[in-house]
Amino acid sequence: EKTEKKENRNKVIIALIFIGIMIISTISFVFVFRTNEEPSNLEKINYNGLEFTKNSLGFWQFQIQENSFSTYYNPLLIENVSFDVKTSVNDLSNKPLYYVLENSTLAASEIINNFGIFIQRHQEVCLSELECRDKDLPIKDCSNNIIIIKETEQIKAYKEGNCVFLEGSEQDQLILADKLIFRVLGIQ
């Protein structure tokens, strides 16, 4: 009888320990993996009435009219970069967007990801005035909306017809891509 009481008491103690562990782990899970609250340590800036928040991947996110956008740089970081391209969302709306790449796809990806909601479709092409790295690509001219991303030593952006040229190192191309996004969206 004593042994049976001792066994029952041990079973109750073990059951209470397991129940306690389950409760504590559930509470810990709720506190660790809360998704409804924004972490308080995210970097934020306000620029022209828009709030830019740096996410955990290092991209700056912002919203305009319920549309989400994401750029590698925020507008304050590249505010003084020269950008002689005048364009707006109306230039892209419901039209195909073509791009010419020498080697980098980062800048093109960022542009396409942000402009995807405005454009009909996108495609890599060859520009009739430039040598093409892939002879199977369609050939277009500057009567089409084309973004040409070229590797050069000097950072430069300009527009000829409907062609926008973004020239510079890979990092400079990303800066110019973000500058183009801000220009088209009317932020800068």
Side-chain angles (χ1 to χ4, degrees), residues 131-185:
E131 186 177 325
C132 191
R133 66 182 175 100
D134 184 349
K135 303 297 182 202
D136 294 331
L137 293 173
I139 297 173
K140 300 287 181 182
D141 61 26
C142 287
S143 65
N144 300 279
N145 282 333
I146 304 176
I147 297 174
I148 298 93
I149 302 172
K150 291 177 60 175
E151 180 105 14
T152 61
E153 290 184 23
Q154 187 177 1
I155 184 171
K156 184 167 67 169
Y158 57 97
K159 188 173 183 178
E160 291 179 2
N162 289 330
C163 289
V164 174
F165 291 82
L166 306 178
E167 299 180 359
S169 67
E170 192 168 353
Q171 184 169 349
D172 291 340
Q173 293 167 6
L174 199 52
I175 289 169
L176 294 173
D178 287 350
K179 199 77 171 166
L180 177 64
I181 292 165
F182 298 145
R183 179 65 49 90
V184 167
L185 297 176

Side-chain angles (χ1 to χ4, degrees), residues 20-128:
I21 290 172
M22 290 173 60
I23 290 171
I24 290 171
S25 66
T26 302
I27 291 171
S28 299
F29 184 82
V30 168
F31 282 110
V32 171
F33 294 103
R34 276 191 285 189
T35 58
N36 61 345
E37 286 188 28
E38 212 173 84
S40 59
N41 62 345
L42 291 179
E43 193 175 342
K44 294 181 182 187
I45 65 157
N46 212 321
Y47 188 88
N48 286 344
L50 293 174
E51 185 176 272
F52 290 77
T53 305
K54 193 170 191 177
N55 68 20
S56 60
L57 299 174
F59 289 91
W60 289 91
Q61 296 178 306
F62 58 99
Q63 285 197 321
I64 299 176
Q65 298 176 352
E66 298 180 17
N67 293 312
S68 295
F69 300 94
S70 178
T71 56
Y72 190 77
Y73 295 97
N74 71 53
L76 281 175
L77 291 173
I78 60 174
E79 189 171 44
N80 296 323
V81 174
S82 177
F83 195 80
D84 296 328
V85 176
K86 296 196 183 335
T87 188
S88 72
V89 73
N90 293 333
D91 297 332
L92 300 173
S93 285
N94 297 317
K95 298 174 187 168
L97 178 63
Y98 302 109
Y99 52 92
V100 176
L101 305 173
E102 275 190 357
N103 58 7
S104 173
T105 59
L106 289 175
S109 295
E110 189 147 316
I111 291 168
I112 291 164
N113 288 338
N114 283 288
F115 292 162
I117 60 172
F118 304 117
I119 60 175
Q120 253 181 12
R121 67 183 188 285
H122 61 86
Q123 180 181 3
E124 185 175 2
V125 297
C126 290
L127 186 61
S128 59

